[in-house]
């Protein structure tokens, strides 16, 4: 039979596993991963094994080999890890003890599987798969003994150990071995022998202690191990396998995992035969299906976006799952996707996004009981309440923008509710600030909250919020009060200058910018024509940036006269020289009455430019040139009859 499709929206939500994983996969590629309820174990193509927490942060790193890690196995306790690699290395490492096993084989070891109770049993056991299936067990002399469980049917590509049953796949099919009775139970043959087993490997997973799910190519079989009737035994094994479901799928299987009585399937979608581009590959698909005896029904389907999916093959993907939580991990070389079953809240959110308001109402009535009418805003409010109860304040605040709309009463109620629970900051960035505005007291309350604990956040709001949202002078007074306690705080001073600027108290803003030597001081002067306010601040401006200050003064001589500048700089001759020098460069005739003073200034501060000045100036009183400072030779053309000074 073939799968048929139905369903309403995805049954899970997918996110990329990030943090440490992102950094690892930028330089390396994932080759395998194993999942424990408490942590993850990731193997790479460059022979490394990383232990990760469930957020993807690296907690431990093992340098195993220089080539690909083929398989990682964990026992149920998560205390021992088995590792095998393409160069034939096999290691069993105790994460909390020093005991371990190390062996190098002369052929690649594709798989390793620890006994589920490896840490608890007296006789440590594990199996490896290369060109044969080997069982390792430690005897009472603390030595490792090996037994060949099977060989002669090609490379072993997968092993899954559950309780006393070991299932493995080779080129011919899947076999199950009972470690308790030391009997091989069955042989499930491979259906499509035209597919290369190395390109389309077998997927195996145990649903429980007696149900094995086999996926190979496009075929899925569900096999149940049963006890044989003692009267029928004769020379037969005490257990046998019954295939309770067998069906074909549309795509190639890269991984399988149980989900209650359903299956999660990871599909590789091969290039479309109708496509002319041979390099075309479709994204991998994560589906939930309901198995039937001879077919299945598709419950949901989602195409996953992973880096470089166009270059991947069926064998490049794996699916692992955590029994403790319904978490499914799709491993590709450059990304790991985590899929989690959607809960009722996710379903409501999805229905609202799809504008299926009546269905959202029905779902919301189950969760929130109080909704009586088909009212989207009420559904939204119920969801906001739920997010607040869960402590997800940022999501709740973000929902307010969509749900509350232009209802000012609801907005103000939500702000006061967030104040009560101490989360004013969470809602601050989502408040209306355009045509719809709340009372100024609302914005002021939030600004006061930021001022208590977060000066940077306060400064950001002042920059982002239009000044007319709140009583500017009330906030100025509050900032001033804080500055009394912290008078040199640069963030508060800059913000106060911005508040003064908005209130058109430019002289106050200018004082602060000059005190802070802030780059915006010149922009403020030009923008608001503050030249009358800087007549007594010329020294401060030049101390901050001589060049920029002089250019500004010379560009605006009509607003601040040369006489006024010279008067202000009288006590700072080094600054006066810079100003008069630039003035002379612009126009030799401007400031001529100061040329006599300039001779002294050049002699004191800028001797190399004294001669050019004397050559070019026609207003120099030469008798004032101090002969003790310089002896200059001038060109006759510069000053007729003047040869030597």
């Amino acid at each position: 039979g073939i799968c048929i499709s139905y369903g309403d929206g995805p049954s899970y939500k997918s996110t990329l596993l990030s943090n440490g994983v992102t950094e690892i996969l930028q330089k390396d590629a994932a080759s395998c991963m194993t999942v424990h309820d408490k942590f993850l174990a990731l193997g790479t193509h460059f022979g490394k094994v990383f232990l990760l927490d469930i957020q993807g942060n690296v907690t431990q790193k093992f340098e195993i080999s220089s080539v690909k890690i083929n398989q990682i196995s964990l026992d149920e306790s998560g205390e021992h890890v088995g590792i095998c690699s393409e160069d034939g290395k096999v290691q069993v490492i105790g994460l909390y003890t020093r005991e371990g096993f190390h062996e190098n084989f002369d052929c690649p070891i594709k798989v390793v599987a620890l006994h589920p109770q490896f840490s608890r049993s007296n006789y440590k056991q594990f199996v490896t798969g290369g060109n044969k299936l080997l069982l390792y067990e430690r005897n009472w002399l603390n030595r490792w003994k090996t037994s060949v469980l099977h060989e002669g049917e090609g490379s072993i590509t997968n092993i899954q150990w559950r309780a006393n049953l070991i299932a493995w796949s080779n080129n011919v099919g899947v076999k199950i071995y009972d470690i308790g009775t030391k009997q091989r139970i069955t042989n499930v043959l491979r259906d499509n022998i035209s597919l290369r087993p190395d390109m389309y490997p077998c997927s195996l997973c145990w649903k429980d202690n007696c149900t094995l799910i086999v996926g190979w190519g496009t075929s899925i079989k569900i096999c149940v191990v049963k006890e044989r009737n003692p009267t029928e035994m004769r020379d037969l094994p005490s257990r046998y396998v019954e295939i309770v479901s067998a069906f074909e799928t549309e795509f190639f299987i890269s991984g399988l995992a149980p989900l209650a009585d359903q299956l999660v399937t990871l599909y590789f979608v091969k290039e479309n035969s109708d496509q002319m581009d041979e390099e075309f590959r479709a994204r991998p698909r994560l589906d939930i299906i309901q198995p039937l005896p001879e077919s299945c029904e598709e419950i949901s389907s989602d195409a996953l976006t992973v880096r470089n999916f166009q270059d991947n093959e069926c064998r490049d993907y794996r699916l692992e799952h955590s029994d403790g939580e319904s978490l499914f991990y799709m491993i590709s070389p450059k990304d790991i996707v985590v899929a989690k079953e959607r809960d009722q809240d996710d379903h409501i959110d999805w229905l609202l996004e799809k504008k299926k308001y009546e269905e959202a109402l029905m779902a919301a009535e189950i969760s929130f009981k109080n909704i009586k009418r088909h009212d989207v805003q009420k559904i939204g409010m119920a969801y906001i309440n739920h997010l607040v109860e869960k402590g997800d304040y940022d999501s709740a605040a973000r929902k307010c923008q969509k749900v509350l709309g232009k209802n000012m009463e609801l907005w103000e109620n939500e702000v006061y509710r967030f104040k009560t629970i101490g989360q004013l900051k969470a809602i601050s960035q989502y408040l209306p600030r355009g045509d719809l505005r709340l009372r100024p007291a609302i914005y002021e309350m939030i600004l006061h909250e930021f001022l208590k604990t977060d000066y940077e956040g306060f400064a950001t709001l002042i920059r982002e919020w239009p000044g007319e949202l709140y009583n500017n002078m009330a906030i100025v007074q509050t900032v001033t009060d804080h500055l009394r306690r912290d008078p040199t705080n640069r963030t508060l001073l800059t913000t106060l200058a911005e508040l003064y600027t908005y209130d058109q108290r430019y002289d106050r803003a200018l004082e602060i910018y000059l005190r802070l030597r802030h780059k915006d001081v010149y922009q403020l002067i030009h923008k608001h024509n503050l030249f009358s306010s800087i007549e007594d601040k010329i020294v401060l401006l030049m101390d901050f940036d001589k060049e920029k200050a002089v250019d500004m003064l010379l560009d605006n001589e009509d607003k601040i006269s040369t006489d006024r500048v010279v008067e202000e700089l009288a006590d700072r001759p080094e600054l006066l020289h810079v100003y008069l020098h630039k003035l002379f460069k612009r126009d030799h005739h401007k400031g001529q009455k100061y040329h006599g003073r300039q001779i002294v200034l050049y002699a004191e501060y800028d001797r190399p430019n004294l001669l050019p000045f004397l050559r070019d100036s026609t207003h120099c009183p030469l008798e004032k040139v101090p002969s003790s400072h310089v002896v200059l030779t001038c060109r006759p053309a510069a000053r007729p009859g003047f040869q030597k000074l």
Side-chain angles (χ1 to χ4, degrees), residues 369-630:
K369 305 298 181 187
N370 298 326
I371 299 175
K372 302 298 181 186
R373 297 187 299 111
H374 291 189
D375 187 324
V376 175
Q377 194 167 69
K378 285 191 175 183
I379 292 172
M381 283 303 302
Y383 191 52
I384 289 172
N385 293 340
H386 180 66
L387 289 170
V388 168
E389 288 168 10
K390 284 203 313 183
D392 191 353
Y393 303 115
D394 185 72
S395 296
R398 199 181 320 118
K399 289 285 180 188
C400 289
Q401 282 187 311
K402 178 180 178 181
V403 172
L404 305 183
K406 297 182 179 180
N407 191 320
M408 289 183 61
E409 182 180 353
L410 283 179
W411 265 114
E412 296 201 1
N413 288 342
E414 282 307 298
V415 172
Y416 281 113
R417 193 252 288 266
F418 274 68
K419 180 181 189 301
T420 302
I421 60 178
Q423 291 294 329
L424 273 179
K425 287 186 179 181
I427 203 170
S428 63
Q429 59 182 310
Y430 303 110
L431 289 184
R433 61 183 82 166
D435 295 336
L436 171 71
R437 292 177 183 176
L438 310 179
R439 290 182 297 112
I442 300 295
Y443 301 98
E444 291 165 22
M445 179 172 66
I446 290 172
L447 289 172
H448 284 297
E449 181 71 16
F450 272 84
L451 264 175
K452 291 177 186 176
T453 58
D454 184 0
Y455 286 166
E456 292 293 339
F458 171 78
T460 300
L461 289 184
I462 293 298
R463 284 193 297 271
E464 292 179 351
W465 284 0
E468 60 268 20
L469 291 180
Y470 48 86
N471 182 330
N472 197 67
M473 289 315 299
I475 301 301
V476 165
Q477 184 58 52
T478 307
V479 174
T480 305
D481 293 341
H482 278 263
L483 278 168
R484 289 195 187 98
R485 299 190 292 272
D486 190 2
T488 61
N489 188 287
R490 190 175 181 88
T491 301
L492 282 183
L493 285 167
T494 305
T495 309
L496 182 59
E498 291 170 2
L499 289 166
Y500 279 141
T501 301
Y502 179 77
D503 208 36
Q504 298 182 11
R505 296 169 68 179
Y506 303 122
D507 54 336
R508 294 286 188 88
L510 190 59
E511 286 176 10
I512 295 173
Y513 280 134
L514 284 171
R515 176 180 166 189
L516 297 175
R517 302 171 72 87
H518 197 285
K519 61 181 176 59
D520 289 346
V521 66
Y522 295 100
Q523 181 184 350
L524 181 73
I525 294 167
H526 280 291
K527 184 176 181 181
H528 300 292
N529 197 22
L530 303 182
F531 296 96
S532 61
S533 300
I534 65 168
E535 286 187 351
D536 60 348
K537 299 178 178 65
I538 292 171
V539 172
L540 287 172
L541 284 165
M542 289 194 69
D543 277 340
F544 177 30
D545 189 328
K546 288 193 290 289
E547 297 298 319
K548 193 174 284 187
V550 170
D551 286 340
M552 181 187 71
L553 292 167
L554 294 177
D555 289 341
N556 296 277
E557 289 179 77
D558 57 328
K559 302 182 180 73
I560 302 181
S561 68
T562 299
D563 292 345
R564 180 61 174 156
V565 176
V566 172
E567 179 185 347
E568 283 296 307
L569 298 177
D571 294 329
R572 295 290 297 276
E574 77 281 7
L575 298 180
L576 178 59
H577 167 68
V578 174
Y579 173 75
L580 289 175
H581 174 67
K582 277 210 168 187
L583 175 65
F584 182 77
K585 286 291 186 183
R586 286 201 180 193
D587 189 334
H588 295 346
H589 304 291
K590 283 186 176 180
Q592 61 186 21
K593 65 181 180 180
Y594 300 111
H595 285 194
R597 189 185 298 189
Q598 278 186 269
I599 293 173
V600 178
L601 292 171
Y602 274 113
E604 182 69 22
Y605 299 106
D606 191 6
R607 289 188 184 187
N609 277 316
L610 177 54
L611 176 58
F613 173 73
L614 292 173
R615 284 174 176 166
D616 296 335
S617 171
T618 58
H619 307 286
C620 280
L622 299 179
E623 67 276 11
K624 292 189 177 182
V625 178
S627 59
S628 60
H629 281 71
V630 292

Side-chain angles (χ1 to χ4, degrees), residues 2-185:
I2 301 291
C3 271
I4 59 173
S5 174
Y6 77 99
D8 186 12
S11 299
Y12 48 83
K13 54 183 177 182
S14 302
T15 55
L16 286 177
L17 190 62
S18 56
N19 299 319
V21 169
T22 304
E23 185 177 347
I24 293 167
L25 299 187
Q26 281 175 348
K27 303 172 185 175
D28 205 338
S31 59
C32 58
M33 194 172 89
T34 300
V35 176
H36 191 271
D37 290 346
K38 299 173 185 175
F39 65 94
L40 315 171
L42 172 67
T44 75
H45 279 257
F46 290 170
K48 297 177 180 62
V49 171
F50 297 89
L51 300 189
L52 314 164
D53 62 21
I54 57 174
Q55 282 80 38
N57 299 300
V58 177
T59 59
Q60 209 166 344
K61 175 183 174 182
F62 300 98
E63 302 269 358
I64 302 297
S65 173
S66 60
V67 296
K68 185 172 72 165
I69 302 297
N70 282 327
Q71 182 69 43
I72 302 171
S73 175
L74 295 167
D75 66 345
E76 288 180 358
S77 69
E79 296 178 15
H80 283 82
V81 56
I83 305 164
C84 64
S85 56
E86 188 67 15
D87 58 358
K89 286 189 174 69
V90 175
Q91 293 191 29
V92 178
I93 301 169
L95 298 180
Y96 307 104
T97 65
R98 292 186 176 180
E99 67 175 347
F101 172 90
H102 300 266
E103 184 77 68
N104 290 326
F105 292 88
D106 57 3
C107 66
I109 302 299
K110 298 294 186 182
V111 278
V112 61
L114 301 185
H115 190 298
Q117 300 297 322
F118 186 92
S119 299
R120 304 286 178 259
S121 63
N122 293 326
Y123 295 96
K124 310 295 186 186
Q125 294 178 315
F126 66 93
V127 289
T128 62
N131 51 24
K132 60 181 71 174
L133 182 68
L134 289 177
L135 171 68
Y136 291 78
E137 48 191 338
R138 202 168 62 188
N139 60 24
W140 62 277
L141 293 173
N142 212 27
R143 294 175 182 168
W144 290 97
K145 182 183 81 171
T146 61
S147 309
V148 177
L149 298 186
H150 191 257
E151 62 181 325
E153 292 183 352
S155 181
I156 292 164
T157 56
N158 200 342
I159 304 174
Q160 296 294 323
W161 194 331
R162 179 77 173 239
N164 281 331
L165 298 176
I166 303 172
W168 74 94
S169 61
N170 56 34
N171 290 354
V172 174
V174 174
K175 296 172 174 57
I176 301 175
Y177 182 83
D178 187 333
I179 198 80
T181 62
K182 298 183 178 179
Q183 294 176 317
R184 199 169 75 206
I185 297 172

Side-chain angles (χ1 to χ4, degrees), residues 1-2 191 219-222 243-248 292-295:
I2 301 291
D191 288 340
S219 168
I220 293 180
K221 293 177 181 177
I222 300 178
I243 298 176
V244 297
S245 177
F247 51 89
E248 289 290 315
L292 301 172
E294 296 181 355
S295 65

Side-chain angles (χ1 to χ4, degrees), residues 137-382:
E137 48 191 338
R138 202 168 62 188
N139 60 24
W140 62 277
L141 293 173
N142 212 27
R143 294 175 182 168
W144 290 97
K145 182 183 81 171
T146 61
S147 309
V148 177
L149 298 186
H150 191 257
E151 62 181 325
E153 292 183 352
S155 181
I156 292 164
T157 56
N158 200 342
I159 304 174
Q160 296 294 323
W161 194 331
R162 179 77 173 239
N164 281 331
L165 298 176
I166 303 172
W168 74 94
S169 61
N170 56 34
N171 290 354
V172 174
V174 174
K175 296 172 174 57
I176 301 175
Y177 182 83
D178 187 333
I179 198 80
T181 62
K182 298 183 178 179
Q183 294 176 317
R184 199 169 75 206
I185 297 172
T186 191
N187 183 18
V188 180
L189 294 175
R190 180 159 65 105
D191 288 340
N192 190 343
I193 58 173
S194 65
L195 294 175
R196 286 172 49 185
D198 60 327
M199 296 294 290
Y200 297 90
C202 177
S203 295
L204 297 174
C205 68
W206 289 98
K207 178 182 176 182
D208 51 44
N209 287 353
C210 60
T211 306
L212 178 68
I213 305 164
V214 180
W216 211 331
T218 57
S219 168
I220 293 180
K221 293 177 181 177
I222 300 178
C223 310
V224 177
V225 179
K226 297 186 175 182
E227 297 290 338
R228 197 182 299 276
N229 190 317
T231 60
E232 301 175 357
M233 275 191 189
R234 297 185 295 278
D235 296 328
L236 298 173
S238 59
R239 305 167 93 178
Y240 69 100
V241 165
E242 179 181 330
I243 298 176
V244 297
S245 177
F247 51 89
E248 289 290 315
T249 60
E250 185 179 355
F251 305 111
F252 296 95
I253 297 153
S254 288
L256 294 167
L259 178 63
D261 63 337
Q262 298 171 344
L263 282 181
V264 178
T265 57
L266 176 63
Y267 288 130
F268 169 73
V269 183
K270 199 174 180 181
E271 63 265 34
N272 191 327
S273 58
D274 296 329
Q275 292 282 339
M276 297 302 292
D277 185 357
E278 288 297 322
E279 294 182 0
F280 175 80
R281 294 283 191 282
R283 291 184 291 164
R285 280 180 39 158
L286 197 62
D287 287 15
I288 296 177
I289 61 174
Q290 177 69 59
L292 301 172
E294 296 181 355
S295 65
C296 69
E297 292 175 341
E298 181 187 290
I299 306 301
S300 71
S301 178
D302 192 22
L304 305 176
T305 299
V306 294
R307 282 183 294 170
N308 302 343
F309 66 84
Q310 302 92 336
D311 302 325
N312 292 340
E313 301 284 353
C314 183
R315 62 182 174 182
D316 294 320
Y317 296 114
R318 301 196 183 202
L319 182 65
E320 298 289 339
H321 73 287
S322 168
D323 289 326
E325 301 178 53
S326 292
L327 289 175
F328 302 90
Y329 297 84
M330 193 282 292
I331 299 97
S332 74
K334 286 297 181 181
D335 275 321
I336 296 173
V337 178
V338 187
K340 184 175 184 180
E341 195 175 8
R342 288 183 178 268
D343 57 19
Q344 189 74 339
D345 303 323
D346 300 316
H347 187 53
I348 292 170
D349 205 26
W350 183 81
L351 290 170
L352 286 171
E353 287 175 11
K354 300 298 182 184
K355 299 184 179 180
K356 298 184 177 183
Y357 297 126
E358 289 190 11
E359 294 171 55
L361 174 64
M362 293 171 61
E365 284 176 341
I366 296 171
S367 296
F368 305 118
K369 305 298 181 187
N370 298 326
I371 299 175
K372 302 298 181 186
R373 297 187 299 111
H374 291 189
D375 187 324
V376 175
Q377 194 167 69
K378 285 191 175 183
I379 292 172
M381 283 303 302

